[in-house]
């Protein structure tokens, strides 16, 4: 009798899996999911923003259609306003929120910065450069940052000024890096930022065609000599008069910014700002 039930269970799994393209992974994940059912809401919160986990959960849902759906689709809460390259709330999302972005990753400090942000549960976009992804070690860092739940954005292959390039070269700078990112993290990037904020009509159209949201930034300081120290960068990022609802904060993979990052996040939170989860940005509205 027990044997019969086992066989029946396997049959059910196979039938369910037949709806999908990957029978093995679905069966495995259904089994895995049973172990996960004791997960508390707290656990769910902790994995929020972790796309790899969410992907798994989506597949789990497909495999157990008869059970109530636990995970919700990501609700879009913000849209880009190009007037200040910041974000406006959609519906009743809090307006006192800022987006954290780290450019020129992964040079030397991106992984540490990701760990700092993860500890503080502060979401962010890491805009990566192709020339920082040309070794297996660097690729592994990008993968790890993504698996920690952070968004990986496209900041071009070689950090060239797009305005100085032919259309063919611009395409290479942008599309080649999206290909590379996809190869490493399994998905194409959703966000694009041009080096120096220097965009062309061609690159703008191409970025859109590639399904990415183009953004510059509201403010950033860590390339100025006077802010190239922990205290200086922390103070200006939190106390600049440019801090406003929805601000898009530009930071870089730099020693002083990495050192000040925890205090920057805490300082912003003390002022009442939450951090925008990039996944909640509606890129269809632009
Ligand atoms: Zn840059």
């Amino acid at each position: 009798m027990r044997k019969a039930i086992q066989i029946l269970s396997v049959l059910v799994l196979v039938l369910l899996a037949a709806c999908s393209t990957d029978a093995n992974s679905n069966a495995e994940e259904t089994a895995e999911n049973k172990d996960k059912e004791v997960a508390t809401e707290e656990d769910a919160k902790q994995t929020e923003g972790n796309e790899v986990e969410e992907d798994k959960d989506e597949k789990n849902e497909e495999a157990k259609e008869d059970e109530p759906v636990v995970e919700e689709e990501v609700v879009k809460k913000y849209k880009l306003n190009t007037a200040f390259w910041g974000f406006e709330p959609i519906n009743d999302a809090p307006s006192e929120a800022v987006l954290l972005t780290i450019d020129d990753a992964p040079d030397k400090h991106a992984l540490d910065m990701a760990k700092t942000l993860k500890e503080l549960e502060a979401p962010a976009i890491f805009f990566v450069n192709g020339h920082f992804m040309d070794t297996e070690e660097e690729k592994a860092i990008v993968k790890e940052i993504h698996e920690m739940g952070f968004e990986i954005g496209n900041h071009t292959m070689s950090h060239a000024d797009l305005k100085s390039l032919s259309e063919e070269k611009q395409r290479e700078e942008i599309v080649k890096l999206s290909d590379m990112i996809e190869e490493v993290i399994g998905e194409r990037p959703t966000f694009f930022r041009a080096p120096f904020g220097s965009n062309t009509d061609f690159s703008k159209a191409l970025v859109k065609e590639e399904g990415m949201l183009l953004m510059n930034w509201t403010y950033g300081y860590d390339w100025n000599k006077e802010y190239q120290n922990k205290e200086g960068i922390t103070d200006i990022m939190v106390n600049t008069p440019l801090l406003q609802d929805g601000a898009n904060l530009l930071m870089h993979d730099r020693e002083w910014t990495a050192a000040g990052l925890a205090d920057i996040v805490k300082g912003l939170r003390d002022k009442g700002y939450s951090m925008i989860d990039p996944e909640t940005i509606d890129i269809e509205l632009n």
Side-chain angles (χ1 to χ4, degrees):
M1 183 63 185
R2 180 174 289 180
K3 185 100 187 168
I5 290 172
Q6 275 174 1
I7 290 168
L8 198 66
S9 306
V10 170
L11 268 176
V12 168
L13 285 176
V14 169
L15 279 175
L16 282 170
C19 309
S20 157
T21 47
D22 189 347
N24 282 333
S25 88
N26 244 328
E28 270 168 32
E29 277 161 9
T30 303
E32 194 185 325
N33 191 57
K34 280 193 179 133
D35 295 329
K36 276 191 180 172
E37 273 168 12
V38 287
T40 60
E41 209 181 308
E42 183 97 20
D43 289 331
K45 257 186 203 163
Q46 280 171 359
T47 57
E48 215 174 63
N50 186 328
E51 285 160 32
V52 174
E53 287 291 324
E54 280 174 7
D55 278 350
K56 265 190 197 165
D57 285 343
E58 272 167 32
K59 282 184 197 158
N60 285 338
E61 277 165 25
E62 283 169 21
K64 47 164 196 146
E65 280 168 357
D66 52 333
E67 290 179 30
V69 175
V70 185
E71 285 281 327
E72 283 172 41
E73 232 180 87
V74 178
V75 177
K76 300 300 180 191
K77 294 179 180 170
Y78 295 92
K79 64 173 180 178
L80 183 69
N81 178 344
T82 55
F84 70 120
W85 294 108
F87 297 89
E88 288 174 4
I90 302 170
N91 302 323
D92 55 356
S95 54
E96 274 201 324
V98 295
L99 177 70
L100 303 179
T101 67
I102 316 287
D103 282 16
D104 299 354
D107 188 0
K108 293 191 174 69
H109 308 279
L111 188 55
D112 281 342
M113 293 173 92
K115 286 176 182 167
T116 300
L117 292 172
K118 179 84 180 168
E119 192 138 306
L120 293 165
E121 294 184 55
I125 303 175
F126 283 79
F127 280 101
V128 300
N129 307 6
H131 62 96
F132 290 137
M133 283 179 71
D134 47 16
T135 68
E136 289 309 311
E137 197 187 347
E138 288 169 331
K139 285 179 184 171
I141 288 173
V142 171
K143 190 166 195 279
E144 188 173 349
I145 292 172
H146 178 253
E147 283 172 356
M148 287 166 81
F150 296 100
E151 194 79 30
I152 303 298
N154 182 326
H155 195 43
T156 74
M157 281 302 288
S158 72
H159 208 267
D161 183 341
L162 294 173
K163 283 182 178 158
S164 72
L165 302 179
S166 68
E167 291 185 352
E168 191 191 339
K169 289 276 179 205
Q170 290 179 56
R171 179 181 292 278
E172 229 179 271
E173 283 288 332
I174 295 167
V175 178
K176 239 175 123 177
L177 180 56
S178 285
D179 292 345
M180 197 187 243
I181 290 171
E182 185 176 20
E183 212 175 279
V184 172
I185 68 168
E187 57 191 67
R188 297 183 82 72
T190 308
F191 299 97
F192 175 80
R193 177 178 280 152
F196 322 107
S198 180
N199 301 287
T200 66
D201 288 342
F202 176 81
S203 70
K204 284 182 200 167
L206 179 60
V207 163
K208 200 169 181 145
E209 199 179 291
E210 286 286 309
M212 292 187 283
L213 180 66
L214 180 150
M215 63 171 73
N216 282 358
W217 58 92
T218 309
Y219 69 81
Y221 297 92
D222 62 2
W223 56 91
N224 289 328
K225 197 100 198 115
E226 61 180 305
Y227 303 116
Q228 292 184 358
N229 58 82
K230 183 186 171 187
E231 291 70 30
I233 192 61
T234 304
D235 180 62
I236 193 70
M237 287 305 288
V238 175
N239 297 312
T240 172
L242 296 177
L243 173 59
Q244 59 185 295
D245 289 0
N248 186 336
L249 276 53
L250 170 58
M251 294 175 280
H252 291 82
D253 178 329
R254 301 284 188 273
E255 189 186 344
W256 44 92
T257 312
L261 190 55
D263 288 341
I264 290 170
V265 171
K266 287 174 197 161
L268 292 165
R269 284 181 171 158
D270 285 346
K271 285 196 155 185
Y273 290 93
S274 61
M275 313 294 141
I276 295 175
D277 181 344
E279 276 198 293
T280 66
I281 296 169
D282 195 337
I283 71 160
E284 306 290 327
L285 295 177
N286 291 91

